Amino acid sequence: MAGAQTHRPAAFELPEDHPGFTDRAYRARRAAIAEVGRAHRRGDPITDVEYTPEEDEVWRVVSHELRRKHERYACRAYLEGARAVTLPTERVPQLREVDERVHGLTGFHIEPVPGLVPTREFYGALSERTFLSTQYIRHHSVPFYTPEPDIVHEIIGHANMLGNPVFADLYELAGQASQRATDDEALDVFSKVFWFTLEFGVVWEDEELRAYGAGLLSSYGEIEEFRAAEIRPWDLEQMGTLDYDITRYQPVLFAASSFDRMVTDLSEFFAGYPA
Ligand SMILES: [Fe+2]
């Protein structure tokens, strides 16, 4: 999740509580996949990663389950984006093909990175309509859990959003706002608003609460639990001051009264940030 960028372990160094920590083969895969991201230069053709049958299986299982849940819990704009991007369901997609699809739809690029991306670099790239994406996939022992953003989060969460021009424009405005947030405090407020909207935002649609945040839409468990969170009314000022914990389901979410209201308010906020 973008807001978690600074908490990521560098490249393939895994923390001790990572599900793949003691799995030598998994660590070797992480190293090899990180190398592809490391060798990539912005704007160059994206080199394919040869995913293993085990990795493809993780993608297949997770993407089938999420797809079912999206019909019940995702907002319309996300579903439209996902239908337009048309990700493969039986194998891990290559960033090369996701980039082609998304760029053809909204002019946004998806580019590989090895793992750790400093917060400013990650958000700054959005201002150039570029989303920096990891390519590794979560450990196969727990396909429905990941302690860090992986390709499932980046692509099923973010890339599907970026297939919709409304979201693509919001991401670009967010990137521009981050670049104007030159001091750390301003960047912190910006990151929190990004977190409670484009990562964990929810919106009322046809009297039902639906998710539009990539963090919720890529989380097998949390997508079914978010309606039980404390749902607060849309309040950008409050979002910007509220701390969050990336390691648990979000106990507090902010609901926009409508999708259009969210887009209008968030666009205005990003365009005028910092005030
Ligand atoms: Fe994210």
Side-chain angles (χ1 to χ4, degrees):
M1 290 141 222
Q5 299 285 322
T6 47
H7 305 276
R8 263 186 212 179
F12 52 89
E13 291 163 24
L14 302 180
E16 277 181 41
D17 59 352
H18 191 285
F21 183 72
T22 58
D23 181 342
R24 290 172 67 102
Y26 181 75
R27 292 174 69 113
R29 286 294 297 149
R30 288 287 293 255
I33 293 170
E35 206 40 55
V36 175
R38 198 187 320 280
H40 179 75
R41 293 290 165 264
R42 190 88 65 87
D44 283 358
I46 301 170
T47 307
D48 284 359
V49 171
E50 275 187 49
Y51 290 103
T52 65
E54 200 170 51
E55 288 165 338
D56 283 337
E57 179 63 9
V58 172
W59 179 274
R60 193 187 67 74
V61 168
V62 179
S63 82
H64 277 270
E65 285 300 313
L66 282 175
R67 187 173 253 212
R68 279 196 314 118
K69 295 186 182 194
H70 288 158
E71 294 303 323
R72 280 168 59 202
Y73 297 110
C75 73
R76 276 190 291 272
Y78 171 84
L79 292 171
E80 285 164 15
R83 271 194 285 274
V85 175
T86 329
L87 293 173
T89 54
E90 306 303 310
R91 59 173 175 82
V92 187
Q94 296 293 339
L95 290 195
R96 172 186 48 76
E97 59 189 337
V98 180
D99 173 63
E100 277 170 16
R101 293 290 300 167
V102 173
H103 190 256
L105 291 163
T106 66
F108 235 92
H109 276 299
I110 312 291
E111 298 240 0
V113 284
L116 181 74
V117 181
T119 306
R120 285 191 182 278
E121 185 184 341
F122 176 81
Y123 290 127
L126 299 178
S127 73
E128 297 162 31
R129 288 178 94 86
T130 298
F131 183 87
L132 302 179
S133 174
T134 57
Q135 288 179 286
Y136 56 80
I137 197 159
R138 58 199 58 191
H139 195 256
H140 56 83
S141 63
V142 281
F144 297 124
Y145 169 76
T146 177
E148 63 197 333
D150 69 341
I151 194 167
V152 170
H153 170 70
E154 317 273 42
I155 300 306
I156 295 184
H158 292 290
N160 275 341
M161 289 175 87
L162 291 168
N164 183 318
V166 176
F167 282 126
D169 288 350
L170 269 178
Y171 275 67
E172 183 185 6
L173 284 172
Q176 292 165 349
S178 79
Q179 290 184 317
R180 291 189 303 270
T182 45
D183 66 78
D184 289 348
E185 195 187 331
L187 189 69
D188 183 57
V189 170
F190 161 83
S191 298
K192 286 172 175 164
V193 170
F194 192 100
W195 178 266
F196 285 111
T197 56
L198 297 176
E199 290 288 358
F200 284 91
V202 294
V203 59
W204 290 103
E205 256 180 20
D206 302 332
E207 295 176 19
E208 256 190 352
L209 208 51
R210 296 264 176 167
Y212 67 88
L216 290 173
L217 292 164
S218 61
S219 168
Y220 172 85
E222 195 162 5
I223 196 172
E224 282 197 308
E225 297 294 327
F226 73 83
R227 288 175 179 165
E230 180 192 338
I231 306 297
R232 295 191 187 172
W234 179 254
D235 185 337
L236 287 163
E237 204 172 316
Q238 198 186 132
M239 290 178 208
T241 59
L242 199 61
D243 286 327
Y244 57 83
D245 179 354
I246 64 162
T247 62
R248 51 183 291 208
Y249 290 174
Q250 298 306 302
V252 173
L253 299 173
F254 292 89
S257 55
S258 73
F259 186 79
D260 290 346
R261 165 94 195 270
M262 179 278 287
V263 173
T264 304
D265 283 6
L266 201 51
S267 300
E268 255 177 46
F269 173 82
F270 287 144
Y273 192 78

